[in-house]
């Protein structure tokens, strides 16, 4: 603890400089900026004890020397003079200029041409019979438009296009005889006198043709399925991890993702490097789920069923009704599957179902809300290993995982003082670790020093270690340093909500603004089902008020204590439910 107190001093000294006049802007990054939105910010830092005026308006300066102000710009040019004055009267002024112009409104195409086309799905795509292509095109209004196989496009009514004519749309379902030969789709606009304008798609398309299904197998148990080949900064939304050697039916490709058919009504996507397609290609097996077993040992409860091959699966949890639901895609449930329990302590019953003709569903009912579970294959037996709620839910003898976000070449967010997220996450994590160990817990961490660790390696480490709980400690950031601030937690799986809620409620006791307990988050370390996890975005380093708080050692200690109290609250609730 003394060691980390010393680190606080070392980190803070550069940012709490003397009263010598100085000014450094974080926003805007240039003296002159062309912007397309009216809301703009001026934010940065000056010397401790200095005053700041922007165009003669006094701006609040925090004890760290930071400041932030928001402005609504008029159309055209806006000039700002930022003046800082030291206690001895010395001043320094920096001038910045914004040029704000709204994007021009869309207008009808005045020359005979095609302006642009948008085809969905986008990217270099491989399709199969039955897939649907959709198009939107803008060109000269009032003419005849067509595209793939001379299929006509309809000019959209101006009521659907903001009053602008010349937008055309259509769709096409790939037919058995269609062939695209990895080429561009050509769109044509034809005048009544025969004059034609042509524009090709920006991407290439082809049709997959296989006499037998095209298949592949997952390369390891870090393989994941996504709902789409596209996503946000965290990547496409993940819908679950698969075990090694799971058989997948590939029915298309979009960019670097294969499209896979899980069952007759369900498709998903998977990154191409995670699938081994150099396997014998043969007809897909018919798999009857049989020989079901439900049992418990001294640590876990299990459900398993035999299949003819390793088939893909998806899962979810129903927290209020205390259930885990696992769907095995491509399998048919044998009638009269076993429901007899042998020495189970958490599983109370098993129900087998067939929600669609080729999906076998197991509904696992539990004594308590789910605490975690793992799905894997033992040969061709799919097994669900259910984690039991600890007999005496307390920190004593419990294993807690802590992931200090970022590190090394991945710095994370930077505050207006220059403080870097990777330093603060490690510092706060070590405080949390000390408190947990004081309560008798065992702590494992993805990093103990200032180094880079890939997120995939962190995930693999924690999935192997299988702690009782996982805490991911981060700091938030926003381009809006004025209005966006506060503490937040994030989770993906429903069974993780209570842990996140308990920690979030405690963090609000620090006086931080409520930025929410947020669900459905796609962060990689929110994805495991093996244990409850919480992503703690402690506060916004981008906000000068939040940053001012976290630079205080006493506040850091308070935040760490509140995180631990939140974990204890969660365990108390779990104990009450036993």
């Amino acid at each position: 603890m003394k060691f980390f107190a010393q680190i606080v001093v070392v980190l803070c000294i550069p940012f709490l400089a003397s009263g010598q006049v100085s000014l450094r802007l974080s926003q805007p990054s240039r003296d002159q900026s062309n912007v397309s939105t009216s809301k703009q910010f001026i934010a940065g830092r000056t010397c401790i004890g200095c005053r700041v005026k922007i165009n003669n308006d006094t701006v609040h300066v925090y004890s760290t020397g930071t400041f932030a102000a928001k402005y609504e710009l008029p159309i055209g040019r806006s000039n700002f003079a930022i003046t800082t004055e030291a206690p001895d009267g010395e001043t320094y002024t920096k001038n910045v200029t914004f040029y704000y112009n709204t994007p021009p409104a869309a207008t009808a195409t005045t020359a005979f041409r095609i302006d642009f086309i948008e085809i969905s799905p986008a990217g270099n795509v491989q399709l199969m019979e039955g897939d649907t292509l959709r198009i939107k095109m803008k060109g000269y209004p009032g003419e005849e438009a067509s595209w793939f196989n001379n299929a006509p496009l309809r000019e959209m009514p101006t009521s659907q296009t903001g009053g602008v004519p010349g937008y055309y749309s259509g769709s096409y379902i790939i037919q058995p005889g269609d062939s695209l030969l990895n080429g561009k789709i050509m769109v044509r606009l034809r005048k009544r006198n025969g004059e034609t304008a042509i524009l090709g798609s920006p991407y290439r398309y082809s049709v997959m043709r296989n006499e037998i299904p095209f298949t592949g197998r997952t390369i390891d148990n870090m393989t994941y399925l996504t709902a789409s080949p596209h996503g946000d900064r965290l990547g496409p939304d993940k819908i679950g991890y698969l075990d090694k050697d799971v058989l997948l039916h590939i029915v298309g490709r979009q960019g670097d993702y294969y499209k896979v058919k899980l069952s007759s009504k369900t498709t998903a996507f998977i990154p191409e490097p995670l699938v081994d397609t150099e396997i014998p290609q043969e007809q897909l097996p018919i798999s009857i789920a049989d020989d079901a077993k439900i049992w418990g040992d001294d640590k876990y409860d299990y459900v398993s069923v035999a299949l003819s091959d390793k088939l893909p699966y998806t899962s979810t949890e129903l927290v209020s009704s205390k259930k885990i639901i696992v769907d095995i895609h491509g399998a048919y449930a044998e009638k009269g599957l076993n429901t007899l329990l042998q020495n189970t302590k958490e599983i109370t019953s098993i129900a087998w179902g067939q929600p669609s003709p080729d999906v076998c569903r197991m509904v696992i009912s539990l004594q308590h809300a789910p605490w975690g579970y793992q799905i894997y294959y033992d040969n061709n037996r799919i097994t669900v290993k259910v984690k039991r709620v600890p007999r005496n839910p307390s920190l004593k003898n419990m294993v807690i995982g802590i992931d200090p976000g970022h590190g090394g070449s991945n710095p994370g967010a930077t505050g207006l003082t220059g403080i870097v997220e990777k330093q603060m996450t490690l510092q706060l994590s070590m405080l949390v670790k000390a408190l947990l160990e004081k309560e008798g817990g065992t702590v494992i961490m993805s990093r103990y020093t200032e180094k880079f660790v890939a997120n995939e390696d962190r995930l693999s480490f924690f999935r192997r270690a299988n702690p009782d709980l996982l805490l991911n400690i981060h700091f938030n950031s926003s381009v809006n340093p004025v209005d966006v601030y506060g503490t937040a937690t994030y989770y993906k799986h429903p069974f993780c909500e209570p842990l996140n809620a308990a920690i979030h409620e405690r963090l609000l006791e620090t006086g931080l603004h409520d930025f929410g307990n947020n669900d459905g988050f796609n962060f990689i370390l929110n994805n495991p089902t093996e244990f409850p996890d919480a992503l703690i975005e402690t506060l916004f380093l981008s906000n000068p008020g939040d940053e001012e708080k976290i630079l205080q050692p006493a506040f850091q200690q308070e935040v760490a204590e509140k995180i631990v109290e939140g974990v204890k609250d969660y365990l108390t609730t779990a104990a009450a439910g036993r």
Side-chain angles (χ1 to χ4, degrees):
M1 293 294 291
K2 292 181 180 179
F3 172 74
F4 282 97
Q6 292 171 353
I7 288 183
V8 174
V9 175
V10 171
L11 287 174
C12 294
I13 283 176
F15 311 126
L16 306 182
S18 65
Q20 183 178 357
V21 70
S22 63
L23 179 65
R24 188 195 73 181
L25 292 184
S26 298
Q27 293 191 57
S29 58
R30 296 185 178 91
D31 292 346
Q32 299 187 43
S33 304
N34 292 309
V35 297
S36 58
T37 57
S38 61
K39 183 188 293 184
Q40 296 297 321
F41 304 94
I42 297 176
R45 93 173 195 214
T46 183
C47 42
I48 303 302
C50 289
R51 292 180 292 178
V52 171
K53 286 187 176 182
I54 300 179
N55 286 357
N56 295 318
D57 293 328
T58 299
V59 176
H60 176 71
V61 179
Y62 290 83
S63 64
T64 54
T66 60
F67 62 92
K70 176 178 65 174
Y71 295 92
E72 287 288 338
L73 305 182
I75 298 291
R77 174 174 174 164
S78 296
N79 297 315
F80 294 90
I82 303 101
T83 300
T84 180
E85 181 181 358
D88 63 3
E90 182 184 4
T91 63
Y92 173 78
T93 298
K94 183 176 182 62
N95 296 295
V96 298
T97 301
F98 293 100
Y99 297 92
Y100 167 50
N101 289 293
T102 57
T107 59
T109 305
T110 56
F112 181 67
R113 66 173 185 265
I114 298 173
D115 289 343
F116 66 82
I117 57 177
E118 297 174 348
I119 298 177
S120 176
N124 297 320
V125 177
Q126 287 182 298
L127 302 158
M128 288 195 72
E129 176 187 337
D131 285 343
T132 300
L133 288 169
R134 291 180 172 83
I135 186 172
K136 182 178 181 181
M137 177 266 278
K138 184 175 185 292
Y140 192 74
E143 308 296 349
E144 293 181 357
S146 62
W147 67 319
F148 185 65
N149 275 3
N150 293 317
L153 301 179
R154 177 183 64 91
E155 185 170 2
M156 301 169 66
T158 54
S159 61
Q160 299 177 7
T161 63
V164 180
Y167 285 93
Y168 300 78
S169 67
S171 62
Y172 184 85
I173 299 175
I174 300 297
Q175 302 298 310
D178 289 335
S179 176
L180 289 163
L181 302 176
N182 197 32
K184 296 187 174 184
I185 294 177
M186 309 307 294
V187 181
R188 292 174 173 80
L189 191 64
R190 187 185 301 273
K191 276 189 172 182
R192 290 172 178 78
N193 64 8
E195 184 181 355
T196 302
I198 301 174
L199 184 63
S201 63
Y203 301 106
R204 295 182 177 274
Y205 293 80
S206 62
V207 177
M208 294 179 64
R209 301 200 175 281
N210 300 300
E211 294 182 2
I212 58 175
F214 179 35
T215 59
R217 291 191 182 273
T218 55
I219 62 170
D220 58 30
N221 69 351
M222 292 289 287
T223 300
Y224 56 86
L225 297 172
T226 67
S228 163
H230 310 292
D232 55 18
R233 63 183 180 85
L234 296 174
D237 184 29
K238 297 177 180 64
I239 59 176
Y241 282 80
L242 298 176
D243 202 4
K244 184 179 180 180
D245 290 331
V246 170
L247 183 66
L248 296 173
H249 180 194
I250 299 169
V251 295
R253 183 170 182 163
Q254 293 188 32
D256 296 328
Y257 284 75
Y258 283 128
K259 182 179 181 181
V260 295
K261 182 178 179 180
L262 302 181
S263 50
S264 58
K265 297 180 180 179
T266 307
T267 58
F269 293 85
I270 188 168
E272 181 270 338
L274 301 184
V275 184
D276 177 14
T277 57
E278 299 297 322
I279 64 171
Q281 299 293 319
E282 55 190 6
Q283 293 294 334
L284 293 169
I286 297 174
S287 192
I288 307 296
D290 61 6
D291 191 25
K293 297 178 181 178
I294 310 104
W295 76 100
D297 60 19
D298 57 344
K299 289 186 178 181
Y300 302 96
D301 287 355
Y302 304 83
V303 183
S304 78
V305 67
L307 304 169
S308 64
D309 209 322
K310 296 178 180 178
L311 301 179
Y313 49 84
T314 52
S315 68
T316 190
E317 316 91 44
L318 302 177
V319 176
S320 60
S321 55
K322 304 174 183 177
K323 290 180 172 60
I324 298 169
I325 298 176
V326 179
D327 285 339
I328 309 167
H329 297 271
Y332 305 84
E334 184 183 61
K335 289 185 178 180
L337 274 174
N338 178 37
T339 58
L340 179 64
L341 309 181
Q342 294 183 320
N343 301 319
T344 60
K345 294 182 175 62
E346 184 62 39
I347 296 176
T348 59
S349 67
I350 295 292
W352 301 96
Q354 197 81 41
S356 65
D358 56 350
V359 176
C360 172
R361 172 170 291 177
M362 62 172 77
V363 180
I364 307 171
S365 296
L366 307 174
Q367 292 269 12
H368 314 92
W371 189 274
Y373 59 99
Q374 178 187 5
I375 306 174
Y376 60 92
Y377 276 97
D378 183 1
N379 294 318
N380 287 346
R381 291 191 71 89
I382 187 170
T383 301
V384 183
K385 182 169 73 173
V386 177
K387 182 173 284 189
R388 295 172 183 156
V389 176
R391 184 171 299 174
N392 297 302
S394 68
L395 288 175
K396 189 175 182 180
N397 301 321
M398 188 165 284
V399 178
I400 310 293
I402 298 180
D403 175 54
H406 305 279
S409 59
N410 181 6
T414 300
L416 292 176
T417 65
I419 193 69
V420 181
E421 182 179 5
K422 66 178 183 178
Q423 299 169 328
M424 298 304 298
T425 57
L426 182 58
Q427 188 166 308
L428 184 57
S429 294
M430 295 304 289
L431 293 175
V432 173
K433 175 179 182 290
L435 292 169
L436 291 171
E437 291 175 339
K438 186 177 180 181
E439 295 278 352
T442 299
V443 175
I444 57 173
M445 292 176 53
S446 55
R447 67 181 181 101
Y448 293 86
T449 59
E450 214 300 88
K451 68 175 183 178
F452 173 79
V453 182
N455 279 339
E456 291 78 8
D457 293 336
R458 299 174 194 237
L459 175 63
S460 180
F461 166 69
F462 286 120
R463 290 185 74 194
R464 289 194 309 268
N466 196 17
D468 294 295
L469 301 170
L470 174 61
L471 307 176
N472 302 287
I473 295 180
H474 283 247
F475 288 85
N476 232 328
S477 184
S478 171
V479 295
N480 182 339
V482 177
D483 306 307
V484 181
Y485 52 94
T487 188
T489 47
Y490 297 83
Y491 64 94
K492 184 176 182 68
H493 300 296
F495 81 99
C496 297
E497 191 277 340
L499 172 62
N500 283 262
I503 293 172
H504 185 62
E505 285 300 314
R506 284 293 186 174
L507 284 172
L508 292 177
E509 294 177 359
T510 65
L512 289 169
H513 176 71
D514 185 355
F515 203 72
N517 179 30
N518 306 278
D519 66 352
F521 199 62
N522 192 37
F523 178 55
I524 186 171
L525 289 172
N526 283 142
N527 281 288
T529 61
E530 285 87 341
F531 35 76
D533 66 78
L535 172 56
I536 306 164
E537 293 282 1
T538 314
L539 49 71
F540 279 81
L541 283 184
S542 54
N543 178 267
D546 278 5
E547 183 190 31
E548 179 186 51
K549 292 183 176 72
I550 202 62
L551 287 175
Q552 301 169 13
F555 190 78
Q556 294 175 25
Q557 184 67 30
E558 183 182 4
V559 167
E561 290 171 356
K562 293 302 180 183
I563 290 172
V564 174
E565 288 175 15
V567 173
K568 291 168 70 175
D569 291 344
Y570 170 70
L571 297 176
T572 298
T573 302
R578 289 198 61 84

